[in-house]
Amino acid sequence: MNYSDLLVQGLVEGCIYALIAVGLTLVYGLLRILHIAHAGIFTLGAYIGLLLTNETGSFAAAFVITVVVVGFFGMAFYRLFYEPLLDKPPHVALIASIGLFIAMEEIYRMVFGATSLSFLAPPLKDTVTVAGVRLEEGRVVVVVLAVVLIGGLAVLAGRTRIGIAWRATVSDAAMAESFGIDLARVRYVNFFVASAMAAAAGIMVALLLNQVIPTMGGVPAYKALAIIVLGGLGNVRGTLIAALALGVIESFGTIYLDRVLDRDAIAFAFLIAVLMIRPQGLFIRR
Amino acid sequence: MKALLSIEGVTVRFGGVDALADVGFGVPRGALLGLIGPNGAGKTTMMRVITGMVRPQAGRLAIDGTEISRLPTHRRVRMGLGLSQQLVRPFAGMTAVENVALAAGHATTANPLAALVTISRAAERDRARTLLQLVGIADAADALPDKLPLGYLKRLEMARALALDPKVLLLDEPLAGLNSAEAPHLADTIADLNRQGTTVVLIEHNLIEVMRICRHLVVLDNGRKIGDGEPAVVMADPAVRAAYLGSQEERHAAA
Amino acid sequence: MYEISLLTVMSFSVIFALSLNLITGFCGQISLGHAAFYGIGAYSAALFTTGGGSFWLALPIAMAVAGFFGFIVGFASLRVRHDFLAITTMGVGFLFTGFVRQQEFLGGEEGIAGIPDPGIGQIPYMLLCAAFAAAVIAFSLYLKRSWMGHAFDAIATDEDTARTLGIDVARYKLTAFVFGTGLAGLAGALFAHYVKFVEVESFDFIESISVLAMVIVGGIGSIWGVVVAAAVLSVLPLLLQVFADYKLLIYGVLLFTVMYFAPGGVDSLMQTLWRRISGRQRRDKGQ
């Protein structure tokens, strides 16, 4: 592999991380909850997306339905599990979330089986050449999705009423409420967006690997946690940069660091090194 | 006379705004110094600079001639600063007497090894009860803080600071939240402590009590020092009157 | 015999859970990577005895190595708080597994097999583990009553205020980490010489969460609560096949339901119950 291949592969990975981590940082920014169970929602997206594709034969239709359905699932998840814990000390929601995540993985194992599922006819497997680098179509779609969804989110946050309400709530919830902003609605929308993006990432990972297993959420989710810390918890722009940087670092790291650490530990080595120098993350929360 | 606590050229900027601009004053040994000023003058920021919770962009602090500007909070406390904060922060799981006893054991807790091999708390509890009596809340000794009214918690906070055997006692609005009977009483206690040898820096809004017990005033306004000296002289200064009365009037107008 | 192995497993689980309780319960520093220190203890003891070293020497070595790494991680913990600390310690766990997997001298993915038997027989080994567990319980009880426990309590509640009382928060946190991780190392060494085989999966994130579950279910900071929770949760998978099959589901549900309904764990539930019972008795007498 040459450098441009490594770079492009890294950026594709980084886009997947970004799709997961942006949702996580949105939840943290709004509720100060480390939403570990986000990983379970990611996996749910992968399962539903794969099963619907195999059922309907249309990846595109399955994708859209999955993203919407999982978005609503995220809202219900918030309502059922997190809303009653908002007033409790912060470690309560964190530990509850870990419990939920582990339980979700087990439920997937019981419902869908421990063995991996795969696409009957995996779509988007042809290769195309982009800027001199040969890429699977699925990887191009990942990049496009990341740009469209996260770009769309930026527009939503900047231009629309709900976006402005969202930003106001993030900076000062009590103040926002006194201006008549419906906090509950902002939180629901937040969970919808975060969960929908995680589902999109889940389907794309399922497609690229052509397999779905109950524990597939683990590794990317833990990395997403490292990423949102690097990005400065709650800082969306910082999270994006950290996600892309990590993708690239891992991609090069597998070549140069393989004898010391496995790929999945690089994120945390990077994280710990950074935290020792800048305890507030790479980017300060605005 | 050389100051016990000396503060020179302290400047603190929060996002482009000067919370404190080149403020300096000395606290003589044995003084009961009132640090006053309208809301937002920078008094609490100054207190936080002295205790090391806020790092100033410039300035120098010394206790007894030893520079403390670079020391962390706990080291400053061990050098003789005792702090009673404006917002009371008792340890929720400990009774009032345990809260104070923990501070009274400062010689033991200063060294983790000593803390590991020491069990008995009897002496510290006794001292804690004495101090609770001194500030007038002996009846609440065995209560948990969440069961106590604010007036009690304020005095608990003060007893805890006293338990550190401080050379300089920093009191941030100890009278706030007390009723018109309690306030003069606690002010008398503060004056008594001072007479017994504790140097006190008192931040307080209750000007009547400040004027009654303090023998030295430092006035801050908008992060600058505008007065420093004997209470009567300082309060007669037109600049002080303007800053103070101006803001009082604004407050009345707003209310 | 079956009961012997149950008691042995129970004993090192109690040590492991109490070691985390020291850091998270007493000193208030959450750790999501505690299994790494269990693993460091297990691996260093295994390396030592498979290399011909004495089992008795392996125990203090395991404690020292784990405690040394605990000191380093504790140092890191001084820089970060709360959520940052949770993720950093989780990262430490992943660094451990990620590092071990790539190291030939640690057996990589395969682990280290053929760890020699301590050579004292099954029952004495069980008694040894139980004695260590009893000692760790006693140490916990002592620590909680000492001035160190008092200072830990203050730090766990409000570390900024602890500083204003002259407490050197950093040194206390480091002490908690060294004690806690050293004891986890001891538990790991005992575990390794019981199963005689170590592999990286035994010390992964799930294991960190399992031990956290014991502390949470028992009641964060409660000694007897954690002892009971560790004893019960560690042997249930051995006693009940159902529990073994659905262990993670049960742990997950337990973590969530305890946090949701009784954040104080078994300990506070028992206390509430006790107060109700004794309150009723007092009322009965009064009538």
Side-chain angles (χ1 to χ4, degrees), chain C residues 96-111:
Chain C
F96 172 77
T97 52
F99 178 79
V100 171
R101 281 206 173 94
Q102 305 303 105
Q103 305 310 313
E104 243 166 69
F105 78 103
L106 296 174
E109 298 275 2
E110 282 79 42

Side-chain angles (χ1 to χ4, degrees), chain C:
Chain C
M1 255 177 14
Y2 190 56
E3 288 78 13
I4 296 171
S5 59
L6 288 188
L7 283 169
T8 314
V9 169
M10 222 184 238
S11 297
F12 50 69
S13 301
V14 164
I15 299 174
F16 186 30
L18 284 176
S19 75
L20 178 62
N21 193 41
L22 221 151
I23 300 172
T24 302
F26 289 9
C27 200
Q29 306 304 302
I30 192 158
S31 174
L32 300 182
H34 200 56
F37 302 99
Y38 189 50
I40 289 171
Y43 269 95
S44 43
L47 275 185
F48 186 72
T49 55
T50 47
S54 133
F55 166 72
W56 301 103
L57 211 52
L59 296 181
I61 286 176
M63 287 176 78
V65 176
F68 170 75
F69 282 100
F71 180 78
I72 293 175
V73 171
F75 220 80
S77 85
L78 301 179
R79 306 271 301 169
V80 294
R81 285 199 213 176
H82 309 305
D83 295 335
F84 281 81
L85 182 61
I87 298 178
T88 305
T89 51
M90 179 194 275
V92 169
F94 280 94
L95 273 183
F96 172 77
T97 52
F99 178 79
V100 171
R101 281 206 173 94
Q102 305 303 105
Q103 305 310 313
E104 243 166 69
F105 78 103
L106 296 174
E109 298 275 2
E110 282 79 42
I112 300 177
I115 298 171
D117 191 274
I120 57 172
Q122 264 197 322
I123 294 179
Y125 193 73
M126 179 269 279
L127 291 174
L128 178 77
C129 291
F132 273 119
V136 174
I137 294 172
F139 178 67
S140 295
L141 290 168
Y142 171 83
L143 197 61
K144 199 161 184 175
R145 287 191 54 214
S146 74
W147 275 88
M148 180 172 274
H150 210 22
F152 279 162
D153 208 11
I155 293 167
T157 316
D158 181 351
E159 63 178 81
D160 290 326
T161 301
R163 285 194 182 90
T164 69
L165 300 187
I167 291 172
D168 188 341
V169 170
R171 283 174 72 190
Y172 279 94
K173 280 191 190 171
L174 279 179
T175 309
F177 266 96
V178 171
F179 283 178
T181 55
L183 290 176
L186 172 67
L190 293 172
F191 164 75
H193 285 85
Y194 167 73
V195 294
K196 310 206 171 48
F197 165 64
V198 288
E199 59 174 343
V200 72
E201 264 73 37
S202 309
F203 313 107
D204 61 3
F205 180 65
I206 292 297
E207 190 60 26
S208 290
I209 297 310
S210 303
V211 67
L212 183 69
M214 293 173 185
V215 171
I216 301 283
V217 171
I220 302 171
S222 149
I223 296 164
W224 292 113
V226 171
V227 169
V228 170
V232 172
L233 288 176
S234 63
V235 299
L236 270 185
L238 306 176
L239 288 174
L240 298 170
Q241 190 54 40
V242 155
F243 195 97
D245 292 344
Y246 297 106
K247 182 183 151 192
L248 288 180
L249 180 64
I250 293 167
Y251 274 23
V253 172
L254 265 180
L255 277 175
F256 178 76
T257 44
V258 168
M259 281 294 112
Y260 203 91
F261 297 106
V266 170
D267 184 59
S268 72
L269 283 179
M270 292 311 286
Q271 282 185 16
T272 315
L273 199 67
W274 177 246
R275 241 174 279 139
R276 291 228 178 113
I277 294 170
S278 58
R280 186 168 305 155
Q281 278 170 349
R282 226 173 293 141
R283 243 175 290 139
D284 291 349
K285 270 181 210 156
Q287 276 169 0

Side-chain angles (χ1 to χ4, degrees), chain B residues 25-147:
Chain B
F25 58 91
V27 182
R29 192 179 301 278
L32 173 44
L33 183 144
L35 180 60
I36 62 169
N39 273 337
K43 302 178 303 271
T44 293
T45 304
M46 177 51 86
M47 195 67 107
R48 295 173 69 81
V49 168
I50 296 173
T51 55
M53 292 166 177
V54 169
R55 288 278 152 126
Q57 273 79 13
R60 188 173 171 280
L61 301 152
I63 292 183
D64 250 349
T66 312
E67 178 159 2
I68 57 166
S69 316
R70 289 173 194 285
L71 297 183
T73 302
H74 68 271
R75 294 277 304 277
R76 298 183 192 201
V77 171
R78 279 195 233 148
M79 291 193 56
L81 283 183
L83 170 70
S84 166
Q85 304 191 70
Q86 183 183 1
L87 297 171
V88 293
R89 286 169 79 168
F91 295 110
M94 303 180 195
T95 61
V97 75
E98 289 296 333
N99 261 281
V100 182
L102 178 66
H106 62 93
T108 308
T109 53
N111 178 355
L113 194 65
L116 180 62
V117 298
T118 314
I119 289 274
S120 169
R121 298 185 198 173
E124 289 79 5
R125 286 210 184 98
D126 287 346
R127 170 127 170 79
R129 285 186 195 278
T130 312
L131 289 168
L132 289 174
Q133 186 134 34
L134 183 73
V135 298
I137 56 167
D139 56 320
D142 297 309
L144 284 172
D146 59 349
K147 303 272 188 293

